[in-house]
């Protein structure tokens, strides 16, 4: 059975940044989705892109904005599942 979970938006208030909240959300997401994650962010959101990359999520696709409400160019990031012990 495959379970699909979609997180539509995650925003951290600028005054709350630097407290580890996003890292905790990412840890929960990794735990809940051990078979991998797919995340999207706008290409102009360099802080989100750096955050994803620091947490082992790789950019795999660049979009032109046609698929999002804001019509803003975006990027799809994927975290591959960890290899399972044999």
């Amino acid at each position: 059975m495959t379970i699909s979970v979609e997180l539509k938006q995650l925003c951290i208030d600028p005054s709350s940044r630097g407290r580890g909240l996003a890292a905790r959300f990412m840890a929960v997401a990794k735990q809940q989705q051990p078979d991998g994650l797919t995340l999207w962010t706008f290409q102009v959101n360099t802080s989100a892109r750096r955050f994803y990359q620091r947490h082992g999520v790789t950019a795999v696709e660049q979009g032109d904005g046609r698929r999002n409400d804001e019509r803003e160019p975006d990027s799809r990031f994927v975290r591959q599942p960890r290899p399972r012990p044999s």
Side-chain angles (χ1 to χ4, degrees):
M1 173 169 63
T2 301
I3 298 174
S4 177
V5 176
E6 180 179 1
L7 176 64
K8 273 300 240 186
Q9 295 183 17
L10 174 62
C11 300
I12 304 294
D13 186 279
S15 66
S16 296
R17 289 187 180 157
R19 297 181 186 177
L21 295 171
R24 284 189 265 172
F25 283 127
M26 182 63 76
V28 169
K30 288 177 180 179
Q31 178 184 21
Q32 295 294 314
Q33 298 294 309
D35 292 332
L37 296 170
T38 298
L39 308 161
W40 288 87
T41 191
F42 296 123
Q43 291 177 19
V44 298
N45 191 343
T46 55
S47 61
R49 295 168 62 86
R50 284 193 308 265
F51 173 80
Y52 290 157
Q53 291 168 340
R54 279 195 314 272
H55 288 272
V57 187
T58 305
V60 297
E61 179 183 352
Q62 304 296 310
D64 60 8
R66 282 188 250 181
R67 291 182 289 193
N68 65 61
D69 295 338
E70 292 82 1
R71 301 293 183 235
E72 182 72 34
D74 51 12
S75 298
R76 181 170 67 102
F77 286 76
V78 172
R79 179 182 171 271
Q80 298 297 327
R82 285 183 294 196
R84 296 180 192 250
S86 333

